[in-house]
């Protein structure tokens, strides 16, 4: 028996009709993104450490080494990249690989000694203001310490001039440090998970509980037709929800959408399919609707807590970060923030897009294996 | 020789360690109404589900219309109509939507026409836009049957289709089955009603997963070799209680003012009644053995095994 478009379309149509008559679900689809968006206007402060930092320094002297060590010792900064150009720095920031780029100008040490008061530039990724605020406010202390420790001998006179050099902080992407800048792109992901996973988790269990699955299975339908047919309506619904959140973000919270909106929708599509695959898998395993909902919570909760949606990713211990790397929202969050707040392009988000693709393929294979086209 | 539509051998289904269907052989001739009888939980539904590929048999082999029930489940589903015991069409779709969905799933070329035709035939044209969940039981049953035969299946599997339906609707339902069978459709129907069993060309009786007997109504009755007496008298329920454990009595049941007693040896039955004749003021006469007597007999036999 061949795959049949007619059967597939019949199933999709049926799902849509049933959805249309299900007031509760319909309300959830529209109200959920709106309520979430209003609820998450505020965020929670935390104090993450070891934020990845890149350093541009041609000037390698006792003073610059001391400054870099000072940054490291503060525990807020973790030097992960030594680079040579601003362009590289921009790239690392945009891709989210580092939170900070520290640029120490040429002839820095000589200029300090000559009393020219040179400036160090610290560029910070401010999309997640809570993540960087502690680090930024620790800077003054670090500078003072460096001066106290290094201005000895014949340059000891510099010690008493407090501003022998300074650090200029340049907050990128979210200069005012609005928390909602950070939360709202993530909210797209959360809304998609909540509706996507839960709705599809109920898709098969509901038919099974009502006894209609027996009827459906006694008809000549292929597993793939049922799977796609059940999932397809929620793909459209997901894209619709992305639209709602973006519209509200733009008009209600005045969040600039810097990147390509088509790219954002395409990435959302991958993420939606990912969620639906999870939901469908739950639906296949769960015995009834209650169980399906319980299982959904197990997926949704870590997504909220562990992916960097509410708390900075870097604030978590390594083991938690490792677990979080298996959660799709982790990647989508970075993609959505990158595109909306940083104007990231395909090349920038690709490192976070391919893991999503891998997860989708993996889940699809498992679901196909787990799904039974009988009542066994 | 008559053609065989369903031919299964040694069909067995286990759920875990529980054997629900045990080594059953069934041959259903083409174009016949084949009755499927047995007490609740005897494995009727499980067997029917295996025949249409909804459950995979644990062991055994079989063919439905020449297709292997183990391998060709999807192909079998195209040629079989299955009416579930519990109404299983979509309550939140309208009558028309349910029929349309069914027609499209079976890839009928003339889906729209077919649906209209069915609606008119059903007498549901006026209510085509009513949600199925709001239909009465009788209408649901008629809709389910129409939907099951929409794709003109060669075999119709009906799992207690008339449970809870009034006698008039039941009679109409069976008249329709008679017509379909006459047109060449093979029908396998499970039921608890004796009058329905008697309308079948052939019967099979299963109990606790085991096939007890098969054949025409008369064959099923004759194979018991039972003799039956109709006893009248006083306090018959007491008498029934008294004789309950008697090994000579194969089946017993109260029928209005009479007690029907069946056993293999008529003389022994008479002897027993003689013993208590005065006590209960008994009179009796010989009677035919009914299908129900036979089934009670087989059930008892199954319980003894």
């Amino acid at each position: 028996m061949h795959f049949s478009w007619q059967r597939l379309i019949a199933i999709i149509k049926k799902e849509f009709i049933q959805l249309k008559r299900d007031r509760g679900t319909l309300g959830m689809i529209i109200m959920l993104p709106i309520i979430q968006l209003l609820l998450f206007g505020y965020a929670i402060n935390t104090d993450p450490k070891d934020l990845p930092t890149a350093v541009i320094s041609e000037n390698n002297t006792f003073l610059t080494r001391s400054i870099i060590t000072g940054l490291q010792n503060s525990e807020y900064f973790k030097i992960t990249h030594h680079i040579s150009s601003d362009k590289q720095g921009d790239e690392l920031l945009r891709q989210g690989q580092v939170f900070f780029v520290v640029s120490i100008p040429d002839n820095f040490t000589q200029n300090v000694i000559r009393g020219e008061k040179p400036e160090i530039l610290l560029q910070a990724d401010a999309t997640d203001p809570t993540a960087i605020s502690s680090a930024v406010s620790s800077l003054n202390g670090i500078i003072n310490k460096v001066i106290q420790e290094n201005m000895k001998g014949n340059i000891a006179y510099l010690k008493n001039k407090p501003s022998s050099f300074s650090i200029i902080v340049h907050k990128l992407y979210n200069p005012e440090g609005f928390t909602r800048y950070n939360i709202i792109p993530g909210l797209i992901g959360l809304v998609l998970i909540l509706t996507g996973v839960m709705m599809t988790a109920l898709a098969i269990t509901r038919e099974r509980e009502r006894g209609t699955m027996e009827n459906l299975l006694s008809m000549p339908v292929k597993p793939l037709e049922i799977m796609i047919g059940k999932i397809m309506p929620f793909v459209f619904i997901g894209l619709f929800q992305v639209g709602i959140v973006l519209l509200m973000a733009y008009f209600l919270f005045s969040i600039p959408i810097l990147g390509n909106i088509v790219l954002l929708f395409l990435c959302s599509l991958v993420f939606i399919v990912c969620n639906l695959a999870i939901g469908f898998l739950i639906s296949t395993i769960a015995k009834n609707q209650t169980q399906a909902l319980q299982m959904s919570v197990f997926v949704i909760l870590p997504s909220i807590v562990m992916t960097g949606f509410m708390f900075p990713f870097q604030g978590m211990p390594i083991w938690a970060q490792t677990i979080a790397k298996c959660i799709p929202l982790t990647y989508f969050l970075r993609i959505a923030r990158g595109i909306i707040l940083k104007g990231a392009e395909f090349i920038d988000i690709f490192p976070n897009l391919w893991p999503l693709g891998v997860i989708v393929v993996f889940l699809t294979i498992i679901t196909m294996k787990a799904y039974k086209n009988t009542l066994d | 020789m008559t053609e065989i539509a369903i031919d299964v051998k040694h069909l067995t289904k286990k759920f875990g360690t529980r054997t629900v269907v045990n080594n059953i052989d069934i041959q259903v001739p083409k174009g016949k109404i084949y009755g499927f009888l047995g007490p609740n939980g005897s494995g009727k539904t499980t067997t029917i589900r295996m025949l249409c590929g909804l459950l995979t048999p644990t062991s055994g082999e079989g063919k439905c219309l020449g297709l292997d029930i183990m391998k060709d489940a999807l192909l079998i589903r195209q040629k079989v109509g299955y009416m579930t015991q519990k109404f299983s069409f979509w309550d939140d779709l309208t009558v028309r939507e349910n029929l349309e969905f069914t027609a499209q799933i079976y890839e009928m070329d003339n889906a729209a026409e077919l649906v209209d035709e069915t609606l008119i035939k059903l007498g549901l044209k006026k209510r085509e836009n009513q949600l199925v969940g709001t239909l009465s039981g009788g209408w649901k049953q008629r809709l389910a049957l129409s939907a099951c035969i929409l794709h003109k299946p060669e075999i119709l599997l009906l799992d207690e289709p008339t449970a809870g339906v009034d006698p008039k609707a039941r009679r109409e339902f069976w008249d329709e089955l008679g017509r379909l069978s006459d047109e060449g459709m093979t029908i396998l129907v499970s039921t608890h009603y004796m009058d329905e069993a008697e309308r079948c060309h052939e019967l099979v009786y299963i109990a606790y997963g085991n096939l007890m007997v098969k054949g025409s109504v008369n064959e099923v009755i004759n194979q018991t070799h039972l003799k039956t007496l109709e006893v009248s008298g006083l306090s018959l329920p007491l008498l029934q209680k008294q004789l309950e454990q008697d090994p000579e009595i194969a089946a017993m049941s109260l029928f209005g003012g009479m007690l029907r007693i069946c056993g293999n040896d008529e003389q022994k039955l008479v002897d027993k009644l003689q013993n208590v004749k005065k006590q209960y003021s008994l009179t009796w006469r010989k009677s035919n053995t009914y299908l129900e007597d036979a089934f009670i007999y087989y059930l008892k036999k199954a319980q003894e095994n």
Side-chain angles (χ1 to χ4, degrees):
Chain A
M1 207 173 81
H2 293 290
F3 182 87
S4 154
W5 286 102
Q6 189 184 357
R7 280 199 296 266
L8 176 63
I9 290 165
I11 296 174
I12 294 175
K13 207 172 131 194
K14 161 183 160 296
E15 296 300 317
F16 261 122
I17 296 173
Q18 290 182 298
L19 202 62
K20 195 179 75 188
R21 300 207 173 115
D22 185 355
R23 290 287 157 88
T25 305
L26 212 58
M28 181 170 161
I29 287 164
I30 299 168
M31 289 311 289
L32 190 93
I34 297 175
I35 290 172
Q36 292 285 353
L37 206 66
L38 296 174
L39 279 181
F40 281 100
Y42 311 93
I44 295 143
N45 270 302
T46 49
D47 190 19
K49 305 218 161 153
D50 289 329
L51 300 171
T53 304
V55 172
I56 311 175
S57 171
E58 295 298 323
N59 193 266
N60 188 0
T61 66
F62 72 97
L63 191 55
T64 59
R65 283 195 298 275
S66 173
I67 291 169
I68 292 168
T69 316
L71 289 174
Q72 291 253 51
N73 288 347
S74 75
E75 290 184 359
Y76 286 113
F77 302 92
K78 184 181 175 192
I79 313 296
T80 52
H81 297 76
H82 286 276
I83 52 173
S84 50
S85 73
D86 291 345
K87 194 164 163 276
Q88 268 177 295
D90 290 345
E91 232 164 67
L92 289 173
L93 276 171
R94 202 166 58 230
Q95 291 173 358
Q97 292 200 42
V98 295
F99 271 72
F100 303 102
V101 174
V102 180
S103 314
I104 303 177
D106 293 348
N107 307 321
F108 174 75
T109 313
Q110 291 89 320
N111 291 344
V112 171
I113 294 169
R114 278 190 219 128
E116 289 182 8
K117 299 182 185 171
E119 288 168 339
I120 294 174
L121 177 67
L122 181 107
Q123 289 171 288
D125 175 351
T127 45
D128 189 350
T130 50
I132 61 157
S133 63
S134 306
V136 169
S137 53
S138 73
L139 283 174
N140 275 333
I142 296 169
I143 294 170
N144 285 333
K145 207 168 158 215
V146 168
I147 292 174
Q148 292 300 322
E149 282 170 5
N150 289 286
M151 307 304 174
K152 293 174 193 152
N154 52 1
I155 55 166
Y157 64 93
L158 288 169
K159 207 192 271 186
N160 297 326
K161 297 183 177 171
S163 51
S164 54
F165 69 91
S166 59
I167 295 186
I168 305 290
V169 177
H170 191 171
K171 287 185 184 173
L172 298 172
Y173 311 126
N174 180 10
E176 292 92 348
F178 291 142
T179 319
R180 60 171 187 259
Y181 271 35
N182 184 44
I183 276 285
I184 285 167
L187 214 53
I188 299 178
L190 188 69
V191 166
L192 291 180
I193 284 200
L194 283 175
T195 33
V197 172
M198 269 206 265
M199 301 276 148
T200 34
L202 297 179
I204 295 285
T205 42
R206 186 185 294 127
E207 298 255 13
R208 220 178 275 146
E209 239 167 78
R210 290 184 184 171
T212 50
M213 197 64 193
E214 188 175 1
N215 196 356
L216 191 60
L217 287 181
S218 75
M219 297 176 179
V221 280
K222 291 184 87 82
L224 202 62
E225 289 161 359
I226 293 190
M227 270 180 73
I228 301 178
K230 287 263 169 200
I231 278 177
M232 204 49 114
F234 296 107
V235 171
F236 294 115
I237 286 165
L239 292 174
F240 170 71
Q241 290 178 319
V242 175
I244 294 185
V245 177
L246 284 181
L247 281 176
M248 280 183 75
Y250 189 76
F251 289 107
L252 202 67
F253 294 100
S254 323
I255 291 183
I257 295 162
L258 297 180
N260 187 332
I261 203 149
V262 176
L263 182 64
L264 181 60
F265 270 95
L266 285 177
C267 294
S268 302
L269 190 65
V270 178
F271 182 60
I272 288 167
V273 173
C274 201
N275 291 327
L276 299 183
I278 295 173
F280 198 87
L281 183 61
I282 291 176
S283 207
T284 318
I285 303 168
K287 293 204 166 54
N288 50 49
Q289 294 194 60
T290 317
Q291 217 178 63
L293 280 180
Q294 288 165 343
M295 287 168 141
S296 306
V297 172
F298 272 97
V299 175
I300 292 165
L301 208 61
S303 294
I304 296 176
V305 179
M306 297 184 74
T307 55
F309 169 69
M310 275 177 108
F311 313 110
F313 192 81
Q314 271 70 20
M316 294 192 299
I318 296 299
W319 63 265
Q321 291 192 18
T322 311
I323 295 175
K325 277 179 187 157
C326 305
I327 305 176
L329 184 62
T330 303
Y331 301 101
F332 182 72
L333 217 55
R334 298 175 187 165
I335 294 174
R337 285 174 183 165
I339 296 176
I340 294 175
L341 301 176
K342 304 184 193 175
E345 286 166 25
F346 181 75
I347 198 84
D348 303 316
I349 55 150
F350 186 72
N352 285 312
L353 189 58
W354 71 258
L356 272 188
V358 171
I359 294 175
V360 169
V361 172
F362 178 70
L363 284 172
T364 310
I365 292 170
I366 293 191
T367 310
M368 296 281 271
K369 286 238 151 72
Y371 177 79
K372 289 199 202 84
N373 210 26
T374 60
L375 293 172
D376 284 298
Chain B
M1 207 189 101
T2 46
E3 259 185 285
I4 303 294
I6 300 173
D7 187 5
V8 290
K9 291 195 180 76
H10 313 303
L11 198 64
T12 299
K13 181 70 185 177
K14 291 180 181 170
F15 293 113
T17 53
R18 203 162 50 95
T19 305
V20 178
V21 174
N22 185 16
N23 205 10
I24 282 184
D25 290 10
I26 300 174
Q27 285 76 38
V28 183
K30 225 168 205 173
K32 295 281 195 252
I33 302 182
Y34 198 82
F36 208 44
L37 287 103
N40 289 327
S42 58
K44 296 193 297 289
T45 301
T46 305
T47 305
I48 292 178
R49 284 176 174 172
M50 283 193 279
L51 293 179
C52 61
L54 270 173
L55 286 174
T56 322
T58 310
S59 60
E61 55 181 333
K63 291 204 147 88
C64 238
L65 301 163
L67 297 162
D68 192 314
I69 59 165
M70 297 294 234
K71 285 182 257 160
D72 302 323
L74 277 179
L75 294 173
I76 291 173
R77 290 180 198 176
Q78 282 178 312
K79 298 185 174 186
V80 170
Y82 170 44
M83 184 169 158
T84 54
Q85 189 172 350
K86 180 176 167 266
F87 180 76
S88 62
F89 281 85
W90 289 270
D91 279 347
D92 48 355
L93 296 184
T94 65
V95 175
R96 169 173 278 279
E97 284 161 354
N98 265 300
L99 290 172
E100 272 176 352
F101 177 71
T102 308
Q104 282 158 0
I105 288 291
Y106 285 102
E107 298 187 280
M108 304 305 287
D109 300 325
N110 46 347
E113 259 171 71
L114 211 57
V115 169
D116 276 324
E117 224 173 79
T118 308
L119 282 168
I120 291 165
K121 204 166 133 198
L122 260 176
L124 272 173
K125 182 79 186 137
K126 272 187 191 161
R127 296 211 231 170
E128 61 174 15
N129 292 323
Q130 191 176 334
L131 290 185
V132 161
T134 62
L135 291 177
S136 70
W139 280 115
K140 279 186 181 177
Q141 180 236 27
R142 296 183 64 186
L143 170 68
L145 179 66
S146 308
C148 286
I149 58 173
L150 197 68
H151 62 291
K152 314 231 173 345
E154 291 172 48
I155 296 180
L156 188 55
L157 303 174
L158 306 166
D159 195 1
E160 293 184 27
T162 54
V165 172
D166 67 57
K168 180 171 170 285
R170 259 184 1 151
R171 178 157 293 198
E172 283 167 4
F173 186 85
W174 273 85
D175 288 345
E176 172 72 15
L177 292 192
R179 271 192 296 277
L180 290 170
S181 139
D182 202 39
E183 288 166 16
M185 199 181 279
T186 309
I187 300 171
L188 187 145
V189 52
S190 76
T191 180
H192 285 304
Y193 297 110
M194 290 307 125
D195 60 315
E196 294 187 355
E198 280 164 2
R199 282 167 168 261
C200 297
H201 297 112
E202 274 185 48
L203 295 177
V204 55
Y205 184 83
I206 66 173
Y208 307 107
N210 295 299
L211 193 148
M212 302 304 295
V213 64
K214 57 185 174 184
S216 68
V217 175
N218 284 332
E219 281 167 1
V220 167
I221 296 172
N222 291 339
Q223 279 179 50
T224 62
H225 303 292
L226 286 180
K227 303 287 179 284
T228 303
L229 298 175
E230 273 182 2
V231 185
S232 312
L234 301 169
S235 310
L236 291 176
L238 269 181
L239 175 63
Q240 187 183 19
K241 190 130 198 169
Q242 191 182 333
L243 297 176
E244 211 168 45
Q245 299 300 328
D246 200 305
E248 290 302 327
I249 292 169
M252 210 170 18
S253 59
L254 277 166
F255 251 76
M258 281 182 300
L259 182 67
R260 294 175 60 79
I261 298 181
C262 313
N264 290 91
D265 190 330
E266 192 182 334
Q267 193 49 51
K268 283 188 179 162
L269 291 181
V270 172
D271 290 348
K272 277 188 204 306
L273 292 174
Q274 287 292 359
N275 289 338
V276 289
K277 187 176 174 186
K278 284 223 174 93
Q279 191 187 339
Y280 293 99
S281 323
L282 296 180
T283 58
W284 58 83
R285 60 183 170 86
K286 280 173 81 166
S287 162
N288 290 328
T289 303
Y290 298 155
L291 195 53
E292 187 166 299
D293 302 322
F295 288 151
I296 303 280
Y297 163 78
Y298 286 119
L299 179 60
K300 216 168 161 187
K301 208 167 132 189
Q303 280 166 335
E304 282 160 11
N305 287 340

